[in-house]
Amino acid sequence: MITIVPLYPELLSIYADRGNVRVLEQRARWRGLEPQVLPVRFGEALDPDRADVILIGGGQDRDQVLVADELRRQVPAIREALAQGAALLAVCGGYQLLGHRYRGHQGDEMVGTGLVDLETVAGDTRIIGNVLVDCRFDGVQRSMVGFENHAGRTTLGPDVEPLGRVVAGGGNNGEDGTEGCRAGRIVGTYVHGPLLPKNGWLADALLAWGLDRRGRPSQLAPLDDELEALAAQRAAGIARAERR
């Protein structure tokens, strides 16, 4: 069994983040892994011993503010799960909440979890459009595609590795060419749409980490990803065309 734990899905699923849960669940089921989805609702506590893959999605600004305090209270449990080998994927607003803080246009500040050394400030314009990213992930060159729609400008700390380099799109801040972050088994990104249907390699990496955490073999049987590959190829072409 592998347990997938979306945090506050009733508040943090504005960009079809439920699709990421479904992809993980189905790719695990196709391999006979008996996936279990255990959402943590607002006001509930995360059980670190039961969380193999943790998901934090994106939300409306007001919902992110509401969730921020609650999420900070979960930090000890999240750290414990990570220490045991769990994986964590945070997308868009969830990605911003991984950091120390988010500063708004008026100087208002939303304090994050501090799980990753990064900070975000509000930009004057939104970064919107299809995105293509080159990722060097565990020694393998990968392409990541999806959609971005964010006003935040995220800067990584000096020791934080970006998830990838932008080929087409804005990425973390529209300036330094980075997209997302990778810190151990934490993956943060602005790419949604949702993210995982077109990027099965990343879904499989999260599942493999979750299995490894349970002491189970993490070498996953290959799946027929022909349709997923075609969708990703098409999305990459659209991203390149948009940014010419």
Side-chain angles (χ1 to χ4, degrees):
M1 179 181 293
I2 185 167
T3 304
I4 302 159
V5 180
L7 299 184
Y8 319 123
E10 71 276 23
L11 297 172
L12 299 181
S13 191
I14 190 173
Y15 294 121
D17 295 303
R18 290 184 183 89
N20 293 328
V21 178
R22 293 292 301 276
V23 167
L24 289 168
E25 187 179 12
Q26 189 58 57
R27 291 182 76 86
R29 184 173 290 114
W30 280 332
R31 294 174 167 112
L33 296 179
E34 301 179 15
Q36 181 180 29
V37 178
L38 290 179
V40 173
R41 307 291 181 184
F42 193 83
E44 296 179 346
L46 171 70
D47 182 351
D49 296 326
R50 302 187 69 187
D52 299 324
V53 181
I54 302 168
L55 302 176
I56 309 175
Q60 299 279 4
D61 289 348
R62 64 177 182 275
D63 292 332
Q64 283 183 224
V65 171
L66 179 65
V67 161
D69 288 342
E70 183 76 8
L71 190 59
R72 286 197 303 275
R73 286 192 283 270
Q74 304 277 17
V75 166
I78 294 172
R79 289 192 186 277
E80 176 59 28
L82 292 168
Q84 294 178 24
L88 189 158
L89 173 65
V91 176
C92 204
Y95 172 35
Q96 295 170 352
L97 287 168
L98 291 179
H100 301 297
R101 61 189 59 82
Y102 181 103
R103 286 198 180 94
H105 287 113
Q106 308 303 320
D108 50 307
E109 187 171 288
M110 179 176 64
V111 180
T113 61
L115 288 166
V116 179
D117 182 16
L118 63 85
E119 296 202 5
T120 304
V121 298
D124 294 328
T125 59
R126 298 189 71 83
I127 297 174
I128 303 174
N130 289 283
V131 60
L132 171 62
V133 182
D134 274 347
C135 302
R136 185 75 177 173
F137 198 90
D138 289 349
V140 180
Q141 199 68 32
R142 304 284 194 180
S143 290
M144 184 171 71
V145 296
F147 194 81
E148 58 183 350
N149 182 357
H150 58 97
R153 304 297 193 267
T154 296
T155 303
L156 305 180
D159 297 324
V160 178
E161 176 186 355
L163 179 57
R165 307 293 302 187
V166 176
V167 176
N172 281 335
N173 49 55
E175 295 181 357
D176 64 11
T178 65
E179 206 298 311
C181 73
R182 168 86 185 275
R185 292 186 174 183
I186 298 176
V187 173
T189 180
Y190 276 116
V191 179
H192 50 76
L195 169 67
L196 296 181
K198 297 187 187 75
N199 300 287
W201 62 268
L202 183 53
D204 287 351
L206 297 169
L207 291 173
W209 287 339
L211 289 172
D212 180 69
R213 180 261 173 92
R214 292 295 172 195
R216 298 182 61 183
S218 58
Q219 186 68 37
L220 297 175
L223 298 175
D224 180 1
D225 281 339
E226 181 180 1
L227 289 177
E228 290 84 350
L230 288 171
Q233 183 179 20
R234 174 62 174 162
I238 292 172
R240 290 181 187 274
E242 283 183 351
R243 305 306 170 123
R244 285 174 184 164

